[in-house]
């Protein structure tokens, strides 16, 4: 079943007199439960496409259907609402609040969802459990390793039970061994039925994904099923 469908998406940035076509015409369909890696050189449009898919930005033209809703012409408020409901974000730099505990960091999206404190804590604890960090709930980010911080960020992305996890260079700040640990966690999440889209420029990381989409100059250069995805243990 389709969860994402972009049709001839174009994105033009205007810089004074200059126009930059970050996306020229991108049509891509992603089904529920897929695990996709976006690759491509710097400037090829990966971040622009991720921002549009994540409802952080809208295309200049073309249409984008997310979970059966046309989001191409939504207002800021409508976008924020659908974003909070459908998307869990994971970033290269983790983006955790330094003064908040792991539990508080993970519970944060649930405040916007309107849950009471007890429910927030319970859900956040379960999310931390699912990434193997139930013994770190009261630690602060600076008391954790890089891999553990990224697990907290992944727990935060999962806590709302989103339709899609969007991960932008999730292993970009981690050493290889820790990166593979995070990829094994993604593999587990994929096996549980989560839809995952990640941007990476590292081949060995991309090969955990089951589908690899390459962008070049604002166009899809290739889009193929990975015949032999790396599996976690
Ligand atoms: P990638 O993530 O693959 O490196 P981007 O989507 O960041 O590519 O960028 C695609 C093109 O759009 C680049 O030429 C970049 O300079 C330009 N671009 C990206 N964001 C902006 C912006 N906010 N304003 C102007 N130009 C931008
Ligand atoms: P580090 O940065 O120290 O290498 P890791 O990301 O490898 O951190 O692991 C963080 C913690 O999560 C460790 O205590 C590890 O034992 C635990 N852990 C690692 N993988 C899993 C998993 N798939 N499920 C549950 N717990 C895990």
């Amino acid at each position: 079943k389709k969860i994402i469908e972009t049709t001839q998406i174009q994105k033009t940035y205007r810089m004074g007199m200059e126009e930059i076509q970050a996306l020229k015409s991108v049509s891509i369909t992603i089904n529920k439960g897929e695990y996709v890696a976006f690759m491509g050189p710097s400037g090829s449009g990966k971040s622009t496409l991720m921002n549009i898919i994540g409802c952080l930005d809208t295309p200049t033209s073309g249409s984008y259907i997310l979970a059966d809703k046309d989001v191409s012409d939504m207002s800021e408020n409508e976008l924020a609402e659908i974003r909070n409901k459908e998307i869990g974000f994971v970033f290269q730099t983790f983006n955790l609040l330094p003064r908040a505990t792991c539990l508080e960091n993970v519970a944060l999206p649930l405040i916007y969802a309107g849950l009471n404190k007890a429910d927030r804590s319970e859900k956040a604890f379960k999310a931390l459990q699912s990434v193997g960090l139930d013994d770190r709930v009261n630690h602060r980010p600076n008391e954790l390793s890089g891999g553990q911080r990224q697990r907290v960020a992944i727990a935060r992305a999962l806590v709302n039970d989103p339709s899609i996890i969007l991960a932008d260079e999730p292993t970009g700040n981690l050493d290889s061994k820790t990166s593979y640990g995070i990829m094994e966690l993604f593999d587990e999440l994929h096996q549980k039925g989560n839809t995952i889209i990640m941007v990476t420029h590292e081949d060995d990381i991309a090969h955990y994904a089951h589908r690899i989409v390459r962008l070049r100059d604002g166009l899809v250069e290739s889009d193929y099923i990975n015949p032999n995805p790396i599996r976690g243990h």
Side-chain angles (χ1 to χ4, degrees):
K1 190 181 169 294
K2 270 183 222 169
I3 183 93
I4 284 171
E5 184 172 31
T6 77
T7 308
Q8 294 178 16
I9 278 193
Q10 239 181 321
K11 181 71 186 182
T12 307
Y13 294 111
R14 221 170 286 273
M15 307 251 297
M17 300 303 288
E18 214 189 336
E19 277 195 354
I20 297 168
Q21 268 203 313
L23 298 176
K24 287 173 182 157
S25 177
V26 173
S27 301
I28 189 164
T29 300
I30 296 174
N31 289 329
K32 226 172 163 32
E34 276 200 276
Y35 183 2
V36 185
F38 286 154
M39 299 196 76
S42 176
S44 58
K46 303 182 296 296
S47 303
T48 301
L49 183 57
M50 286 293 263
N51 287 345
I52 291 172
I53 288 178
C55 298
L56 293 163
D57 205 352
T58 50
T60 310
S61 67
S63 80
Y64 173 32
I65 313 284
L66 167 62
D68 297 323
K69 286 182 271 300
D70 190 338
V71 295
S72 0
D73 290 319
M74 279 189 178
S75 68
E76 276 299 323
N77 284 343
E78 290 171 313
L79 279 177
E81 191 175 317
I82 195 161
R83 187 163 68 226
N84 290 333
K85 181 159 170 278
E86 307 286 356
I87 315 276
F89 292 95
V90 177
F91 305 94
Q92 178 171 2
T93 50
F94 321 135
N95 292 12
L96 300 171
L97 298 179
R99 303 179 77 89
T101 65
C102 291
L103 194 76
E104 289 163 350
N105 267 286
V106 173
L108 205 59
L110 300 173
I111 294 178
Y112 305 115
L115 270 69
N116 69 43
K117 187 147 197 233
D119 289 348
R120 294 201 300 267
S121 296
E122 189 188 331
K123 282 199 177 216
F125 181 76
K126 283 190 178 145
L128 281 166
Q129 223 170 11
S130 75
V131 300
L133 284 180
D134 38 325
D135 57 348
R136 294 287 187 276
V137 286
N138 292 318
H139 286 60
R140 284 170 218 284
N142 68 1
E143 299 168 320
L144 302 176
S145 71
Q148 289 172 330
R149 287 180 204 186
Q150 193 57 300
R151 283 174 194 277
V152 174
I154 293 167
R156 182 187 54 193
L158 290 169
V159 75
N160 255 343
D161 199 17
S163 311
I164 302 162
I165 297 165
L166 282 189
D168 196 351
E169 298 276 7
T171 61
N173 272 325
L174 304 174
D175 60 53
S176 315
K177 184 170 163 283
T178 309
S179 297
Y180 300 143
I182 294 298
M183 285 302 101
E184 288 185 11
L185 176 57
F186 273 28
D187 187 43
E188 270 176 44
L189 297 175
H190 174 239
Q191 285 180 49
K192 283 185 197 156
N194 285 286
T195 309
I196 303 174
I197 305 175
M198 72 171 166
V199 167
T200 182
H201 62 269
E202 298 171 274
D203 274 314
D204 55 341
I205 295 300
H207 280 93
Y208 281 86
H210 290 230
R211 175 177 169 193
I212 300 179
V213 175
R214 281 177 199 279
L215 296 181
R216 180 178 290 276
D217 295 335
L219 292 167
V220 174
E221 179 185 56
S222 67
D223 180 351
Y224 61 89
I225 301 298
N226 180 3
N228 204 4
I230 305 172
R231 298 297 303 272
H233 308 298

